[in-house]
Amino acid sequence: MKLGRLNHVAIAVPDLAKATETYRDTLGGAVTEPQALPEHGVTVVFVDLGNTKVELLEPLGEGSPIAAFLEKNPAGGMHHVCYEVDDILAARDRLKTGGARVLGDGEPKIGAHGKPVLFLHPKDFCGTLVELEQS
C-alpha cells in the first residue's frame, strides 16, 4: 500500500449553515451545496482549496457518529483526515494484517465523492481517525 494525496480534512460542526457561511463569506472559500449522506449519518459540504478540500460535516439522523463527537466538542473541531489509496481492498487487507483496526464491518462504503471509503481506528493512527478513499 502506498499512501496517496491528502483528499480532505473533515471538521465536525454543530451548525452546517453557519460554518458554510464562515468558510464562504469570511474566508472566501468555494463551498459546495450541502449533500446528505444518510448511510454515513452526516450532511456535508466541501470547501475547495485547489490542492485539497475541507469537509464540513454535521449530524444527520439518529445515531450519527458525529453527534457523539459534538457532545464532547460542542463547538466542533477536526474529526478526521482522508487519504487516497490506489486499491482500497489491498490497503485494507495489508493494514489488517499489520494489526490496524478497520471500523464498521470492514467493507468499503460509498463516500461523498461516489468512491469507496473505509475508516481506521484513531488509536492505531496517533489519535486521529483516518479515512481512506479509493483514488
Side-chain angles (χ1 to χ4, degrees), residues 52-123:
T52 193
K53 297 176 279 301
V54 170
E55 178 184 38
L56 303 173
L57 56 149
E58 76 174 356
L60 174 66
E62 294 297 316
S64 170
I66 303 306
F69 179 90
L70 289 171
E71 284 177 19
K72 295 177 190 164
N73 306 279
M78 203 215 38
H79 185 262
H80 67 268
V81 295
C82 177
Y83 302 110
E84 295 178 1
V85 294
D86 289 334
D87 183 334
I88 199 160
L89 295 176
R92 175 201 60 194
D93 294 346
R94 180 176 175 275
L95 288 160
K96 285 175 77 173
T97 299
R101 290 171 279 182
V102 177
L103 298 178
D105 64 6
E107 292 301 316
K109 290 186 169 75
I110 299 302
H113 300 116
K115 298 178 180 181
V117 299
L118 287 170
F119 286 87
L120 307 174
H121 201 291
K123 289 185 178 176

Side-chain angles (χ1 to χ4, degrees), residues 4-86:
R5 75 179 194 96
L6 175 68
N7 184 282
H8 65 267
V9 173
I11 300 173
V13 299
D15 183 337
L16 190 59
K18 184 175 178 183
T20 297
E21 182 180 299
T22 297
Y23 271 81
R24 184 188 60 232
D25 300 342
T26 305
L27 294 173
V31 181
T32 66
E33 290 297 315
Q35 179 182 4
L37 301 172
E39 64 277 11
H40 294 281
V42 295
T43 301
V44 303
V45 300
F46 286 93
V47 183
D48 187 354
L49 304 176
N51 63 341
T52 193
K53 297 176 279 301
V54 170
E55 178 184 38
L56 303 173
L57 56 149
E58 76 174 356
L60 174 66
E62 294 297 316
S64 170
I66 303 306
F69 179 90
L70 289 171
E71 284 177 19
K72 295 177 190 164
N73 306 279
M78 203 215 38
H79 185 262
H80 67 268
V81 295
C82 177
Y83 302 110
E84 295 178 1
V85 294
D86 289 334

